[in-house]
């Protein structure tokens, strides 16, 4: 049974059934009882047979039990025992008396008997066997009698005994240490870091009896560790302590362990000695494994203070390995472990430490509480003083360990020792005040505030959470209060959204059921089968227990009007709502459902500044509704939340009172929530290739001139008269309110849609990477592929399949008809002929533009013609020309790396997605942030010249945002961002395209121009594939006029001979 299970079992049996409270505090004991005790002690102070002595002592102990603890002091029995211990003739009887009192009277004499333990240990080494046996029995009875949290005081005496020179005292002390471990495993384990070294010394003693006692004590001590990951290795750990040659094998076994449970001081007490020995082994392999174990275990430490006793030895040992090991990879592991230990050390120093509460401080607190609670308590009486001092010792060990279990304080540590002096209610009142006083003084102020928050409890449950084979949270606690707003923080992939979904779906163990606690998941997205409903019908369908009038009234409160001129007319289809109105609709639905808890996952995504402000005000105004919020908008968290729930490194949730600023003050390393820094994670974007005619980064490679777009069925254009341009040095932020037309402009910019009027010009070889606002739409048909498989599928045909699916790239019915038109063509010999274009084969550079090789319908390849770009566009083949340009541009972009698993995995790793997720996990199982990384990596595979991202900050955590910002700063191509995250755009983009009411205004500064390093950006002559094969890269060669004429003549000869004209020999 684990310590936790044992504690739960004990709580069921806690009671005062065996405790006798005094109805009235009687300072004087009945003289008959005093006389009986004195008579018995006088008899025992003389020589008598052992059997008679035991009978007399037992009889006297029963009298003491009936008369109470004052009978021991008022009869002078304690002084008599001390005198008897000094005389060899009465020493045996003294031990018999101690044994009888301890076993019969228990807690009534415990404070007195504990002080006799050193004398008993000394007596265990006496020459006379009778005295030795009596001393051992007395020591054992004292150990049996002592309460669980008196263990620490007992161990201090036993450890002194275990270091004595007399082997008999050592042996008995070690046996009793083992007995304490078996009897009170949890309190004992809290002292294990002090005891383990003493027991280890005993295992190396020359005396066999001592070694055997130490081995037994070590077994019991290690068994007191509740960590289930460690328990299977206890025999091996003990063997390694006894035999140093076993240390390497034990380290091997530990390194193969998957540590899941929280690591605490007892677990470290058992493993750290082995790890320290392993760090001095000769083999680098063992030393490297030590570093791996230290790193893994350190990340599972719940309370940082648990590691404090071990860091002074462990950190220098790991530092030495980091400096001395010859293997670079092993040194890397050592530095990683050292970094983890340094983080622990920093956390310990940063956190407000628990106030030390030694016995004298606890005694002062007890006296104050007694004076205030029970004024009639006999504070100056010797017996009561002795009991108060013992209570102070016991609660000191509990307070110093920050153990404030109310049951154990009440039924074990305080009330039983007050019972002989006061009624039950007075004792309980003293416990209540003393417990509160010690908790307030001992607990770090921040931790106490986190736990003692006022308000109604909605949830206080313990659970674990996993996804597939991955453990996300392990035996953690979630504590929520009504009317509070909790921001859930943690890195991408830690399980924030999984937790929220699990709560919404009722999959969290011990979480209150829906009939007790109503939770509503608030999301922008509307389910596909409901998207054609009118607004009011949609809400009626989802909230069937409310009548229509109530729903209309509530919708009106949220701004949805029964007016067809309103932007949120309740009779309009919900599919036409902007992101801000969809969020308001979702919140209205939740309020109508009488939600106790709102679950909001990235609520600010797609919202402009005004709608974010509205959402902030709404959430803050809900004093009866609790909110759980996941967002990477640090300003939103600062202004809204009352608590931060943080995913700790040890797979636990930790509750911090206050907003994000307060959290960062307490956990300085969380400052990355405010900074766009790539210190923790870095992304790497591939560099774009060279473009013909572009010798400086400031020269425009895409232009839009007076472009207008009007959606079919609309009576007016969405955007009008848009003029802009971008270059390789562009860093542009596109800003404006929701519905202003930002996304429409960008779709024209990227070629997804064609303007109704106006011109869009792009360099023929340029490549654009586009990450859409709803980034997941890129992946929705590939959820059962791995990210690696998705990118390979996307580019396996030599084209970007997703780009070809864009609306602007698809042929309309009219364009399909234009492709079949008959054209009058003048041949090279001057004749005129009617022909139909069948396909475009290739292209070649002319002085000012390109010519394209045309294959004619029902004509052989030898009759192919070269026609200018402009002519083909007039013939209706403009989109096919663009497609061939894109194929050529893509071919140039992919020349540097083959489309293999190895190279795709590297691209994904460069985007912050570990190989485990990149190649071995399906997209369906990735978090929102991880999916965004896959989309960006896929878009960047073709080495684009312009990167366009619509709301890239959605779903990315602060570290990933910092990494993205760092990659954009270093990137050699142009970047255009649409984002409501002003912090992100202002840090990166000096130029702004402000969109309002369908118009665009350019503001800010255009990025500085600079010449392109032609050699540094050139396509390599050779590349190596994943199998190590060297492949020569085919490059376009610029021909002179003479060489061009010679090539044309050669092609004509090949056609005459019936050979294809596009042979590699031509290049």
């Amino acid at each position: 049974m684990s310590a936790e299970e044992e504690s739960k079992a004990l709580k069921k049996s806690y009671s005062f059934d065996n405790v006798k409270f005094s109805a009235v505090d009687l300072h004087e004991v009945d003289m008959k009882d005093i006389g009986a005790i004195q008579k018995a002690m006088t008899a025992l102070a003389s020589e008598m047979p052992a059997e008679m002595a035991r009978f007399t002592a037992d009889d006297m102990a029963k009298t003491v039990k009936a008369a109470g603890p004052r009978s021991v002091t008022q009869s002078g029995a304690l002084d008599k025992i001390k005198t008897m211990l000094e005389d060899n003739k009465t020493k045996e009887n003294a031990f018999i008396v101690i044994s009888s009192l301890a076993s019969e009277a228990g807690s009534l004499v415990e404070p007195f008997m504990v002080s006799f333990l050193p004398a008993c240990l000394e007596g265990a080494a006496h020459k006379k066997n009778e005295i030795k046996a009596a001393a051992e029995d007395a020591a054992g009875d004292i150990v049996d009698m002592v309460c669980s949290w008196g263990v620490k005081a007992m161990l201090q005496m036993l450890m002194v005994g275990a270091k004595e020179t007399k082997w008999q005292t050592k042996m008995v002390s070690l046996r009793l240490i083992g007995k304490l471990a078996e009897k009170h495993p949890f309190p004992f384990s809290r002292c294990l870091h002090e005891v383990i070294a003493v027991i280890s010394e005993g295992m190396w003693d020359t005396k066999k009896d001592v070694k055997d006692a130490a081995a037994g004590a070590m077994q019991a001590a290690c068994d007191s560790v509740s960590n289930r990951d460690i328990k299977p290795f206890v025999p091996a750990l003990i063997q390694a302590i006894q035999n140093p040659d076993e240390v390497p094998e034990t380290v091997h076994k530990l390194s193969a362990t998957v540590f899941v449970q929280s690591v605490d001081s007892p677990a470290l007490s058992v493993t750290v000695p082995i790890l320290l020995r392993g760090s001095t082994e000769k083999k680098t392999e063992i030393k490297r494994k030590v570093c791996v174990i230290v790193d893994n275990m350190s990340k599972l430490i719940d309370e940082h203070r648990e590691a404090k006793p071990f860091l002074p030895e462990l950190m220098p040992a790991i530092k030495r390995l980091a400096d001395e090991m010859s293997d670079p990879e092993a040194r890397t592991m050592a530095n990683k472990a050292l970094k983890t230990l340094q983080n622990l050390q920093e956390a310990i120093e940063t956190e407000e430490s628990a106030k030390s509460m030694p016995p004298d401080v606890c005694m002062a607190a007890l006296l104050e509480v007694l004076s205030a609670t029970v004024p009639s308590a006999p504070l100056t009486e010797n017996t009561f003083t002795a009991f108060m001092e013992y209570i102070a010792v016991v609660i000191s060990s509990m307070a110093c360990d920050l153990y404030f279990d109310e049951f154990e304080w009440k039924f074990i540590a305080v009330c039983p020792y007050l019972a002989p002096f006061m009624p039950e209610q007075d004792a309980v009142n003293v416990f209540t005040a003393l417990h509160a006083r010690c908790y307030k003084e001992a607990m770090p102020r921040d931790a106490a505030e986190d736990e003692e928050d006022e308000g109604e409890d909605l949830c206080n449950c313990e659970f674990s959470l996993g996804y597939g084979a991955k453990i996300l949270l392990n035996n953690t606690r979630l504590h929520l209060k009504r009317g509070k707003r909790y921001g859930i923080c943690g890195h991408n992939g830690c399980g924030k959204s999984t937790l929220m979904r699990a709560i919404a779906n009722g999959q969290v163990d011990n979480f209150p059921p829906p009939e007790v606690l109503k939770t509503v998941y608030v999301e922008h997205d509307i389910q596909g089968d409901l998207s054609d409903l009118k607004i009011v019908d949609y809400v009626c369908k989802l909230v069937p227990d409310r009548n229509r009038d109530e729903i209309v009234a509530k919708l009106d409160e949220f701004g949805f009007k029964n007016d067809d001129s309103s932007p949120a007319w309740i009779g309009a289809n919900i599919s036409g709502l902007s992101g801000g109105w969809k969020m308001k609709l979702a919140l209205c639905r939740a309020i109508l459902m009488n939600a106790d808890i709102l679950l909001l996952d990235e609520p600010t995504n797609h919202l402009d500044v005004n709608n974010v402000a509205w959402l902030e005000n709404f959430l803050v105004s809900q004093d009866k509704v609790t909110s759980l919020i996941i967002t990477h908008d640090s300003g939103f968290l600062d202004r809204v939340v009352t608590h931060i729930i943080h995913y700790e490194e040890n797979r636990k949730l930790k509750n911090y009172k206050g907003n994000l600023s307060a959290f960062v003050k307490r956990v300085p390393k969380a400052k990355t929530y405010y900074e766009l820094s790539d210190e923790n994670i870095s992304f790497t974007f591939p560099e774009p290739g060279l473009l013909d005619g572009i010798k400086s980064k400031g020269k425009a490679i895409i232009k839009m001139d007076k472009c207008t777009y009007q959606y079919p069925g609309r009576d007016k254009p969405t955007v009008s008269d848009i003029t802009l341009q971008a270059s390789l040095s562009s860093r542009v932020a596109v800003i404006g309110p929701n519905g202003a037309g930002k996304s429409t402009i960008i779709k024209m910019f990227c070629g997804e849609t064609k303007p109704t009027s106006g011109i869009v010009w792009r360099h023929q070889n340029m490549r654009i990477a586009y990450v859409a606002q709803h980034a997941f739409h890129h992946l929705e048909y590939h959820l059962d592929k791995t990210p690696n498989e998705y990118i390979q599928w996307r580019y396996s045909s030599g084209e970007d399949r997703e780009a070809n699916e864009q609306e602007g790239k698809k042929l309309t019915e009219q364009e399909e008809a234009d492709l079949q038109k008959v054209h009058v063509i003048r041949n090279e010999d001057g004749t005129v002929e009617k022909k139909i274009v069948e396909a475009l084969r290739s292209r070649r550079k002319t002085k000012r533009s390109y010519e394209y090789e045309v294959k004619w319908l029902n004509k052989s390849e030898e009759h192919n013609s070269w026609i200018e770009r402009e002519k083909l566009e007039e013939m209706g083949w403009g989109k096919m020309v663009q497609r061939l340009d894109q194929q050529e541009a893509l071919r140039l972009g992919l020349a540097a790396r083959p489309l293999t698993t190895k190279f795709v995995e590297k691209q994904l790793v460069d985007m912050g997605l570990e190989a485990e997720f990149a190649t071995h996990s399906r997209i369906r199982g990735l978090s929102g942030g991880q999916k965004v990384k896959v989309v960006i990596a896929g878009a960047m595979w073709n080495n684009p010249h312009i990167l366009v991202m619509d709301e890239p900050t959605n779903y990315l955590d602060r570290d990933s945002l910092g990494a993205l910002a760092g990659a954009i700063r270093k990137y050699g191509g142009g970047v255009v961002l649409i984002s409501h995250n002003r912090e992100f755009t202002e840090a990166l983009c000096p130029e702004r395209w402000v969109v309002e009411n369908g118009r665009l205004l350019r503001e800010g500064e255009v990025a500085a121009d600079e010449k392109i390093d032609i050699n540094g950006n050139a396509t390599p002559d050779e590349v190596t594939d994943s199998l190590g094969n060297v492949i020569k890269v085919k490059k376009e060669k610029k021909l002179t006029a003479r060489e061009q004429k010679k090539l044309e003549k050669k092609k004509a000869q090949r056609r005459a001979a019936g050979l294809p004209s596009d042979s590699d020999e031509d290049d």
Side-chain angles (χ1 to χ4, degrees):
M1 184 184 291
S2 70
E4 186 178 346
E5 291 168 341
E6 177 190 36
S7 176
K8 287 178 181 176
L10 280 172
K11 284 177 186 177
K12 293 177 184 177
S13 62
Y14 285 158
S15 70
F16 291 135
D17 291 348
N18 297 319
V19 178
K20 184 180 178 183
F21 287 91
S22 172
V24 182
D25 182 35
L26 300 174
H27 288 247
E28 299 299 327
V29 182
D30 192 318
M31 291 306 297
K32 288 182 180 179
D33 294 328
I34 296 289
I37 294 169
Q38 290 175 337
K39 182 178 179 182
M41 288 304 299
T42 301
L44 289 163
S46 59
E47 294 187 37
M48 65 167 64
E51 298 253 347
M52 181 62 73
R54 278 197 188 84
F55 178 80
T56 306
D58 288 346
D59 194 48
M60 183 197 74
K62 289 174 183 175
T63 303
V64 169
K65 183 177 181 181
R70 286 194 177 95
S71 63
V72 180
T73 52
Q74 292 180 15
S75 66
L78 289 179
D79 294 331
K80 197 72 172 177
I81 293 172
K82 292 175 185 176
T83 304
M84 291 166 66
L85 285 171
E86 294 172 359
D87 188 348
N88 280 335
K89 293 179 181 178
T90 56
K91 194 181 287 274
E92 181 183 357
N93 288 356
F95 290 133
I96 290 172
V97 172
I98 293 169
S99 183
S100 294
L101 286 171
S103 56
E104 183 65 35
S107 63
L108 292 173
V109 293
E110 186 178 334
F112 304 135
M113 296 301 104
V114 166
S115 61
F116 290 120
L117 181 60
C120 296
L121 296 176
E122 184 183 349
H126 202 277
K127 294 178 182 178
K128 287 187 177 182
N129 290 335
E130 298 83 3
I131 295 176
K132 186 190 302 183
E136 286 186 31
D137 289 343
D141 287 331
I142 291 172
V143 168
D144 286 337
M145 165 201 64
V146 78
C147 78
S148 56
W149 286 96
V151 163
K152 187 172 184 179
M154 297 287 288
L155 280 174
Q156 299 301 320
M157 301 180 223
L158 292 172
M159 285 192 290
V160 171
K163 294 179 181 179
E164 278 289 332
T165 54
K166 295 177 180 177
W167 69 266
Q168 295 95 335
T169 300
K170 283 185 184 180
M171 178 187 69
V172 172
S173 297
L174 289 166
R175 284 178 182 170
L176 293 176
I177 288 173
K179 192 172 187 178
L180 271 179
E182 291 172 356
K183 191 171 178 64
H184 305 295
F186 179 65
F188 181 92
S189 70
R190 305 306 303 165
C191 307
L192 198 53
H193 63 279
E194 299 177 53
V195 182
I196 205 87
V198 175
I199 302 176
S200 297
E201 284 181 29
M203 294 175 76
W204 287 82
D205 199 90
T206 55
K207 195 73 176 176
K208 184 178 182 303
D209 291 343
V210 175
K211 290 172 73 172
D212 291 344
M218 182 63 80
Q219 182 68 52
C222 291
D223 285 343
S224 73
V225 178
S226 61
N227 188 296
R228 291 191 296 273
D229 301 329
I230 299 294
K231 275 190 176 294
F233 297 100
V234 165
L237 292 168
I238 295 173
Q239 188 63 32
I241 292 172
Q242 289 178 312
N243 182 7
D245 292 339
E246 297 291 329
V247 169
E249 184 59 29
T250 305
V251 171
H252 276 298
K253 289 179 180 177
L254 273 175
S255 69
T257 305
V258 178
F259 290 101
V260 175
Q261 276 210 294
S262 301
V263 172
D264 53 10
S265 176
L268 292 170
S269 300
V270 172
T271 52
V272 166
I274 299 299
L275 295 174
L276 290 172
R277 288 192 182 187
S279 70
T280 61
E281 288 289 318
K282 292 181 179 179
K283 290 186 177 180
T284 300
E285 178 190 9
I286 301 300
K287 292 188 280 192
R288 181 190 177 281
K289 286 183 182 293
V290 166
C291 297
V292 172
I293 296 167
V294 168
D295 185 51
N296 290 340
M297 291 187 71
S298 299
K299 289 176 180 175
L300 289 175
I301 295 174
D302 267 0
E303 300 293 339
H304 299 131
R305 67 176 183 277
E306 300 275 307
K308 190 173 183 179
F310 308 97
L311 292 179
E313 282 188 285
L314 205 50
M315 284 183 71
I318 300 300
K319 176 73 167 63
R320 178 174 49 79
L321 295 181
D323 293 337
E324 295 179 1
M325 284 194 290
S326 57
D327 183 356
E329 195 276 336
R331 286 201 306 274
T332 300
M333 285 307 308
N335 281 313
K336 185 180 176 185
L338 185 61
K339 176 71 173 172
T340 304
L341 292 177
Q342 287 169 341
N343 288 342
L344 266 177
Q345 181 72 45
E346 182 182 337
I348 292 168
E349 291 171 355
T350 304
E351 289 175 355
E352 184 184 352
S353 60
K355 182 181 176 183
S356 176
M357 291 201 73
D360 59 327
V361 174
C362 291
M363 182 67 175
L366 179 56
L367 284 169
E368 284 186 30
V369 168
L370 280 165
S371 299
T373 311
V374 188
S376 60
L379 301 181
T380 58
E381 193 218 346
N382 291 342
T383 307
F384 191 56
T385 299
F387 272 68
M388 285 194 298
E389 288 173 350
Y390 189 69
I391 291 173
V393 168
V394 172
I395 65 173
S396 171
S397 67
M398 301 173 86
C400 288
D401 209 41
L402 298 185
Y403 188 81
F404 289 98
D405 181 274
E406 292 188 17
F407 283 92
E408 298 207 15
W409 274 67
K410 180 177 180 179
F411 292 103
I412 292 178
V414 179
C415 292
Y417 303 107
L418 294 177
F421 307 98
M422 62 187 67
E424 180 178 339
Q425 190 56 53
D426 285 351
V428 171
N429 291 341
V430 171
F431 144 72
T432 304
L434 181 63
H435 180 271
R437 166 80 178 267
C438 291
Y439 181 89
K440 186 177 179 181
E441 288 194 15
M443 209 68 166
R445 181 172 53 82
D446 289 335
E449 287 180 1
D450 292 338
E451 294 178 21
E452 289 189 331
D453 202 17
E454 293 181 0
E456 176 193 347
D457 273 357
L458 289 185
C459 160
N460 191 0
C461 60
E462 189 172 302
F463 65 97
S464 295
L465 183 68
Y467 189 92
K470 185 178 181 182
I471 295 173
L472 300 173
L473 293 168
N474 183 53
N475 293 331
T476 192
R477 183 166 294 280
L478 181 65
H479 191 184
L480 304 176
K481 299 273 188 178
R482 184 175 294 281
K484 305 299 181 183
R485 299 174 296 281
Y486 299 88
I488 304 178
C489 294
H491 61 83
N492 277 146
C494 68
K496 301 185 294 296
S497 295
T498 303
L499 171 62
M500 202 167 270
R501 287 285 186 187
I503 292 172
N505 297 333
Q507 296 170 321
V508 172
D509 290 342
N510 304 315
F511 194 88
E515 55 271 18
V516 176
L517 194 65
K518 184 75 172 178
T519 61
V520 177
Y521 194 92
V522 181
E523 52 189 339
H524 312 75
D525 298 330
I526 308 297
Q527 296 176 16
D529 56 341
L530 302 176
S531 59
D532 292 330
L533 290 177
K534 303 263 189 299
I535 291 172
V536 67
D537 296 332
Y538 168 77
V539 180
C540 288
K541 186 174 181 64
L542 292 181
V543 193
D545 55 338
R546 292 294 191 105
N547 65 55
R548 193 177 184 89
D549 291 339
E550 282 184 289
I551 289 172
V552 170
K554 185 60 71 174
L555 283 169
D556 186 74
E557 288 179 30
F558 278 77
F560 294 90
K561 304 298 182 183
N562 194 7
D563 178 0
D564 58 6
S565 64
S566 167
W569 176 41
I570 62 173
N573 285 354
I574 54 175
S575 57
L577 293 175
S578 68
W581 284 110
K582 283 180 181 176
M583 171 54 67
K584 291 180 182 180
L585 184 62
L587 288 167
C588 178
R589 173 176 62 90
I591 297 302
L592 283 166
M593 295 172 73
N594 294 323
D596 295 302
I597 298 178
L598 299 178
L599 306 173
L600 300 105
D601 193 351
E602 299 292 354
T604 62
N605 283 2
H606 321 305
L607 300 190
D608 59 22
V609 176
N610 293 333
N611 280 312
V612 169
W614 178 91
L615 179 60
E616 289 172 3
N617 293 332
F618 173 80
L619 292 175
V620 171
S621 69
Q622 301 300 302
D623 57 353
K624 299 298 182 185
V625 180
T626 297
S627 301
L628 275 180
I629 303 165
I630 299 172
T631 179
H632 299 118
D633 186 338
S634 54
F636 183 81
L637 283 176
D638 253 347
R639 294 185 291 270
V640 172
V641 303
T642 58
H643 296 73
I644 295 292
I645 297 176
H646 192 249
Y647 272 72
E648 303 285 300
E649 290 181 348
N650 54 9
R651 300 190 183 98
K652 301 284 185 185
L653 296 175
K654 189 169 182 181
N655 208 332
Y656 294 86
K657 189 174 182 180
N659 63 1
L660 186 63
S661 300
F663 168 62
V664 171
K665 285 179 183 176
R666 291 174 58 182
V667 186
K669 66 179 180 181
K671 65 181 183 298
T672 53
Y673 282 107
Y674 283 109
E675 298 174 353
L676 290 174
S677 165
D678 57 358
E679 180 182 336
N680 298 327
I681 304 175
S682 63
F683 294 171
T684 303
F685 286 170
E687 285 299 305
L690 298 173
L691 291 171
D692 289 336
I694 305 299
K695 297 180 180 178
S696 68
K697 289 192 173 183
K699 187 171 182 180
I701 59 174
I702 181 169
K703 296 179 182 178
M704 292 174 62
D705 185 30
K706 298 182 179 179
C707 290
T708 297
Y709 186 82
Q710 183 171 332
Y711 284 98
R714 297 278 181 92
D715 56 357
K716 64 177 182 178
T718 301
V719 294
S720 303
D721 202 27
I722 305 300
T723 299
L724 54 84
Q725 68 178 42
S727 66
L728 291 171
S729 62
S730 291
R731 295 292 184 272
V732 181
V734 186
I735 58 177
N738 283 21
K742 301 186 298 296
S743 295
T744 303
I745 293 171
I746 289 302
K747 285 180 179 178
M748 288 194 293
F749 183 86
C750 296
E752 281 210 7
T753 56
K754 190 175 181 180
T756 309
S757 65
I759 298 171
V760 180
W761 172 86
R762 299 180 187 85
H763 190 285
Q764 293 89 341
N765 287 348
M766 75 163 291
R767 299 178 292 277
I768 293 182
Y770 176 51
V771 178
Q773 178 177 6
H774 300 279
F776 300 162
H777 94 266
H778 295 274
L779 306 174
E780 59 189 8
Y781 300 112
H782 309 281
L783 296 177
D784 291 321
K785 291 185 177 77
T786 66
N788 202 311
E789 290 169 344
Y790 160 69
I791 293 178
Q792 291 192 55
W793 166 86
R794 181 168 170 176
Y795 293 97
S796 59
S797 65
E799 298 181 88
D800 183 351
R801 286 178 169 172
E802 285 207 0
N804 290 339
E805 292 299 315
Q806 296 171 0
E807 285 299 319
K809 302 289 179 67
K810 294 179 181 177
L811 295 173
T812 64
E813 290 184 10
Q814 180 61 47
E815 287 169 336
E816 291 272 9
D818 288 343
L819 295 183
Q820 306 303 319
K821 278 186 178 179
V822 178
H823 304 282
V824 178
I825 303 297
R826 183 179 294 277
N827 296 324
E828 292 180 3
D829 59 5
T831 60
V832 176
E833 190 175 354
K834 291 182 178 181
K835 298 180 182 179
I836 298 175
V837 179
E838 180 182 339
L840 303 182
R841 294 293 192 223
S842 62
R843 73 175 187 182
R844 68 186 181 188
K845 184 83 169 66
T846 62
K847 283 185 178 180
R848 294 184 179 180
S849 182
Y850 280 90
E851 289 182 338
Y852 296 81
E853 185 179 5
V854 177
K855 166 72 170 64
W856 302 107
L857 186 66
N858 300 322
K859 298 281 186 179
S860 64
E861 295 284 346
E862 65 184 22
H863 293 98
N864 289 0
S865 304
W866 290 93
I867 298 181
E868 296 85 355
R869 178 190 187 94
E870 293 76 12
K871 178 68 175 173
L872 283 170
E873 288 175 345
E874 288 175 13
M875 293 164 61
W877 276 73
K879 283 191 177 178
M880 304 310 290
V881 167
Q882 290 177 9
R883 184 166 182 177
L884 183 59
D885 286 342
Q886 286 299 312
Q887 289 174 353
E888 288 295 312
L890 187 62
R891 182 177 67 81
L892 293 171
L894 300 181
R897 52 188 175 169
L899 189 67
T900 61
T901 300
K902 174 184 174 183
F903 284 93
V904 174
E905 183 177 290
K906 183 181 184 304
Q907 168 88 352
L908 288 160
V909 169
D910 284 345
M911 277 305 304
L913 198 68
E914 298 173 10
E916 177 64 28
F917 299 108
T919 307
H920 305 290
S921 300
R922 289 185 175 184
I923 293 171
R924 186 183 300 279
L926 301 184
S927 70
Q930 290 168 330
K931 286 177 182 174
V932 172
K933 292 175 185 178
V934 174
V935 171
I936 296 174
M940 296 299 289
W941 176 255
N942 64 358
N943 299 352
H945 298 92
I946 298 282
L947 171 61
V948 180
M949 292 190 281
D950 195 347
E951 295 292 359
T953 60
N954 292 352
Y955 303 102
L956 289 180
D957 63 19
R958 295 296 299 186
D959 283 342
S960 297
L961 277 181
L964 179 60
I968 288 172
R969 290 188 186 104
K970 299 170 190 171
Y971 178 48
V975 178
V976 178
L977 302 173
I978 303 177
S979 179
H980 294 304
N981 189 329
R982 184 172 295 178
E983 174 198 12
F984 187 74
T985 55
E986 288 182 352
L988 296 171
C989 304
E991 184 179 357
R992 293 180 299 281
W993 295 346
V994 182
V995 184
E996 267 190 81
N997 300 321
R999 301 279 178 172
L1000 182 143
L1001 177 66
R1002 297 176 68 184
E1003 293 182 352
E1005 301 176 1
V1006 177
D1009 194 8
E1010 60 179 282
K1011 286 195 173 183
I1012 296 173
D1013 180 4
I1014 296 176
N1015 295 324
N1017 230 358
T1019 305
D1021 295 321
E1022 295 179 343
V1023 295
T1024 305
D1025 69 11
S1026 58
L1027 299 175
N1029 302 310
V1030 176
I1031 302 169
K1032 290 191 175 182
V1033 177
K1034 186 168 74 173
K1035 300 182 182 179
E1036 286 191 8
K1037 183 180 177 183
K1038 204 167 185 179
L1039 302 178
T1040 64
R1042 186 174 181 180
E1043 288 172 331
Q1044 185 69 39
K1045 191 174 181 181
K1046 186 177 178 181
L1047 178 61
E1048 291 299 328
K1049 186 177 179 181
K1050 188 176 180 181
K1051 284 189 175 183
Q1053 291 172 349
R1054 292 180 66 84
R1055 284 195 292 271
L1059 298 173
S1061 62
D1062 56 349
S1063 169
D1064 289 345
E1065 296 173 14
D1066 298 340
D1067 297 327

